[in-house]
């Protein structure tokens, strides 16, 4: 399902994985996301902030990054933007991607692979709902590339969910 990614795509995807590693180092769930505009400039970067007690369960990295990008760029500025994320967006984040006007999503770790890593951990009740299925129900097309470099993305999850 993934097309061949460019070196720039891979660089941005690896940046999202570094953001996930930073989130983990800060004591948060290991997820990271960045948004680049149509020119390829990074306009937003966010780690996960949903871990109790101070975290908000809606503050996934993808949602935070697309919300920040939307505030900075406005609706028209979001045209041609891409979300790069360390893991496939969940149903909630896919909705945020749709509503903020992101045109493309590139993700590293699939929901299926993530579930293998997290198991039934109560802090990550993973949906079995690929982002492509969520986007397919919308009125506009969102291109999706992923999974890609899953082994690299899995490293930040090692020993986290046990």
């Amino acid at each position: 399902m993934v097309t061949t990614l460019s070196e720039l795509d891979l660089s941005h995807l690896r940046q999202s994985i570094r953001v996930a590693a930073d989130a983990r180092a800060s004591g948060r769930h290991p997820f990271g996301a960045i948004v680049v505009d149509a020119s390829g400039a990074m306009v937003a970067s966010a780690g996960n902030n949903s871990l109790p007690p101070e975290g908000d369960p809606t503050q996934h990295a993808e949602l935070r990054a697309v919300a920040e990008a939307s505030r900075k760029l406005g609706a028209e500025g979001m045209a041609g933007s891409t979300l790069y994320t360390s893991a496939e967006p969940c149903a909630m984040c896919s909705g945020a991607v749709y509503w903020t006007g992101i045109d493309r999503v590139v993700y590293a770790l699939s929901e299926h692979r993530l579930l293998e890593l997290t198991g039934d951990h109560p802090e990550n009740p993973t949906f079995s709902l690929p982002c492509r299925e969520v986007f397919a129900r919308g009125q506009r097309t969102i291109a999706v590339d992923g999974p890609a470099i899953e082994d690299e993305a899995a490293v930040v999850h090692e020993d986290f969910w046990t």
Side-chain angles (χ1 to χ4, degrees), residues 32 36 47 63 80 114 152 158:
V36 300
L63 190 146
L114 179 61
E152 290 181 43
E158 289 176 358

Side-chain angles (χ1 to χ4, degrees), residues 12-70:
H12 288 315
L13 200 52
R14 287 184 174 109
Q15 178 61 32
S16 74
I17 295 168
R18 285 190 292 276
V19 173
D22 291 346
R24 180 179 176 159
S26 297
R28 308 215 183 278
H29 291 151
F31 298 98
I34 68 168
V35 175
V36 300
D37 66 14
S39 73
M42 187 171 68
V43 295
S45 173
N48 187 291
N49 190 26
S50 63
L51 189 64
E54 71 280 349
D56 175 337
T58 67
Q59 294 302 294
H60 290 188
E62 299 87 352
L63 190 146
R64 295 178 70 215
V66 299
E68 179 184 343
S70 181

Side-chain angles (χ1 to χ4, degrees), residues 91-115:
M92 175 183 69
C93 293
S94 295
V97 165
Y98 179 81
W99 288 110
T100 57
I102 296 282
D103 285 325
R104 180 176 178 230
V105 172
V106 181
Y107 67 88
L109 203 57
S110 68
E111 281 287 322
H112 177 75
R113 180 79 183 272
L114 179 61
L115 181 57

